[in-house]
Amino acid sequence: MKIENREYRTIWFDENNQSVKIIDQTKLPHQFIIKDLKTVKDAINAIKIMEVRGAPLIGGTAAYGMALATKENNDPNFIKKSSEDLIQSRPTAINLRWAVDRMMNKLLGVNNNELLNVALKEAKNICDEDEKFCENIGLNGLKIIEDIYNKKKDTVNILTHCNAGWLATINWGTATSPIYQAHKNGIPIHVWVDETRPRNQGANLTSYELNEESVPNTIIADNTGGILMQRGDVDICIVGTDRTLSTGDVCNKIGTYLKALAAYDNDIPFYVALPSSTIDWDIKNFKDIPIEERSSEELSHIEGLDENDDLKKILIYPKKSKALNLAFDVTPAKYVTGLITEKGVCVASSDELKKMFRQ
Ligand code: MRU
């Protein structure tokens, strides 16, 4: 997708520099900085401090992180340790483990002199596949938005939470992909963008990328969605996910659950968009999903431009207050109208998911 009218993907390998390039998302929307990852440690750090984030992009970065590991040292113990360190870098998004496992399987038994080539090729395959899957999610979700428009014959108001945009994937996004497809097909849409405290991925990233693609959008405080739904100002909610269980329960950015409850109470369709790499086929009970707890400083401090347009971080809480920063919550399947996947739209249930992906 575009930034200042130039097409980008979120991650790519630079042959000349022999490094992995990423867009540093901690500086957006105020600064657009492309960074080099040269070692597997750089990749782990980029995931940890969220220079890259969003489940599919975390997976893509981990895949390239594995390639960087093979470049540094082809000792199997080093590669194994690197895979474990990558998996530990963030706990909730399942795409991370999925991508590392896929890379490890691919590298099994490969000659030392071929390791780097094979690893780079597989990392690119993972990213290309994610791009294609996200594009398909858009085409499948487009039909849902089209149906609403055909009935309403007026602007379709879509609410989204966090950033499940192209910046969270390789391209297109998950939740935003149907939005971009609708916009490209001339359907009048407007997006309510949840600010998404504490890290403001909605305000800083979703609104930013929608602006760059000229999609009308308005940022709202996280607690505003409920009243907008009661007033009839939301036609559909579409969000992403970091891990969807085979039961159809959906783990996503903190606050998603409350939006789903409000949508349910107001009879508003609540869709979750995901590539199949985000499905966890093993965990059956949502309470077993590892929920990331991040530093309370993400709540107590906020970063923005000062009067000189310099980035500045300031404390906004009482100095003595404690704060709890859980990064994700789980929306039970019963509140999910449907899952928009690369293969089609299905009910959030184990039968439907199995039918779609395991038969
Ligand atoms: O903590 P983040 O910014 O990595 O969280 C991202 C989300 O919660 C997204 O909604 C999710 O990864 C889906 S991305 C297409």
Side-chain angles (χ1 to χ4, degrees):
M1 307 297 286
K2 289 197 285 289
I3 292 177
E4 291 188 358
N5 282 321
R6 210 181 130 184
E7 288 284 340
Y8 286 94
R9 297 214 310 183
T10 49
I11 189 164
W12 65 97
F13 187 70
D14 180 349
E15 292 285 346
N16 298 329
N17 210 18
Q18 288 290 296
S19 66
V20 175
K21 300 272 191 195
I22 56 160
I23 298 166
D24 178 358
Q25 300 194 21
T26 61
K27 295 288 177 280
L28 290 175
H30 304 300
Q31 294 172 356
F32 180 76
I33 295 170
I34 292 177
K35 276 191 95 164
D36 283 298
L37 308 180
K38 294 200 158 151
T39 63
V40 63
K41 269 207 175 117
D42 289 347
I44 291 168
N45 189 49
I47 295 171
K48 272 192 180 152
I49 65 171
M50 293 175 68
E51 287 171 343
V52 288
R53 28 69 51 205
L57 179 55
I58 292 172
T61 309
Y64 273 114
M66 287 298 300
L68 290 172
T70 65
K71 188 156 95 64
E72 278 171 83
N73 186 341
N74 55 24
D75 172 23
N77 291 329
F78 178 78
I79 294 176
K80 177 96 188 12
K81 174 80 172 63
S82 300
S83 74
E84 288 161 3
D85 291 347
L86 274 163
I87 288 173
Q88 296 302 320
S89 57
R90 278 193 81 189
T92 303
I94 187 81
N95 304 57
L96 176 54
R97 176 182 290 275
W98 170 87
V100 171
D101 287 350
R102 180 162 153 179
M103 292 295 290
M104 286 300 276
N105 284 335
K106 193 73 193 179
L107 297 178
L108 218 66
V110 173
N111 285 338
N112 277 354
N113 54 353
E114 275 300 307
L115 264 181
L116 177 60
N117 278 345
V118 172
L120 281 174
K121 202 161 161 225
E122 188 63 358
K124 184 165 182 309
N125 285 344
I126 286 176
C127 291
D128 289 350
E129 189 181 286
D130 186 71
E131 178 170 19
K132 188 74 209 144
F133 284 3
C134 285
E135 188 179 2
N136 287 344
I137 287 169
L139 296 170
N140 293 329
L142 168 65
K143 296 180 198 127
I144 300 169
I145 299 176
E146 241 165 15
D147 281 351
I148 296 173
Y149 177 66
N150 288 338
K151 282 189 203 122
K152 189 180 177 193
K153 302 264 184 282
D154 201 352
T155 302
V156 180
N157 285 302
I158 304 164
L159 183 141
T160 193
H161 190 70
C162 193
N163 173 259
W166 76 268
L167 289 167
T169 64
I170 307 303
N171 213 342
W172 291 104
T174 57
T176 56
S177 191
I179 291 172
Y180 288 130
Q181 290 292 351
H183 184 65
K184 282 182 200 298
N185 279 274
I187 299 175
I189 54 168
H190 165 260
V191 185
W192 295 114
V193 178
D194 280 350
E195 179 189 31
T196 322
R197 283 282 290 148
R199 289 187 66 98
N200 300 328
Q201 290 96 325
N204 289 349
L205 304 175
T206 306
S207 182
Y208 169 77
E209 62 163 86
L210 292 174
N211 291 344
E212 295 295 310
E213 290 286 333
S214 308
V215 177
N217 71 90
T218 308
I219 298 169
I220 50 174
D222 291 324
N223 297 327
T224 308
I227 189 169
L228 292 178
M229 292 186 206
Q230 286 172 327
R231 287 180 174 178
D233 290 336
V234 178
D235 297 301
I236 179 174
C237 303
I238 312 179
V239 300
T241 167
D242 288 81
R243 192 184 287 239
T244 289
L245 300 191
S246 61
T247 57
D249 295 338
V250 169
C251 180
N252 191 47
K253 181 55 54 193
I254 194 83
T256 304
Y257 173 44
L258 295 180
K259 281 312 129 68
L261 287 179
Y264 189 78
D265 190 45
N266 289 282
D267 244 340
I268 291 163
F270 188 92
Y271 282 92
V272 179
L274 67 144
S276 48
S277 50
T278 307
I279 303 172
D280 182 337
W281 295 100
D282 297 326
I283 290 182
K284 300 287 178 250
N285 185 337
F286 76 76
K287 292 190 178 141
D288 294 332
I289 298 174
I291 300 288
E292 179 176 13
E293 184 178 338
R294 296 186 61 86
S295 162
S296 61
E297 207 185 292
E298 291 183 347
L299 278 159
S300 59
H301 290 68
I302 201 155
E303 195 173 51
L305 294 182
D306 69 9
E307 61 281 7
N308 302 316
D309 269 2
D310 292 325
L311 269 184
K312 201 172 208 171
K313 201 182 229 183
I314 55 163
L315 170 73
I316 54 170
Y317 283 1
K319 279 192 179 144
K320 286 186 185 162
S321 294
K322 284 197 299 186
L324 172 68
N325 184 11
L326 297 178
F328 298 95
D329 62 22
V330 182
T331 301
K334 65 179 171 185
Y335 300 118
V336 177
T337 311
L339 302 174
I340 309 172
T341 77
E342 73 269 16
K343 287 205 174 174
V345 181
C346 72
V347 172
S349 74
S350 49
D351 282 355
E352 291 285 313
L353 274 170
K354 262 191 221 138
K355 240 188 263 164
M356 182 132 340
F357 291 103
R358 291 256 151 133
Q359 279 175 12

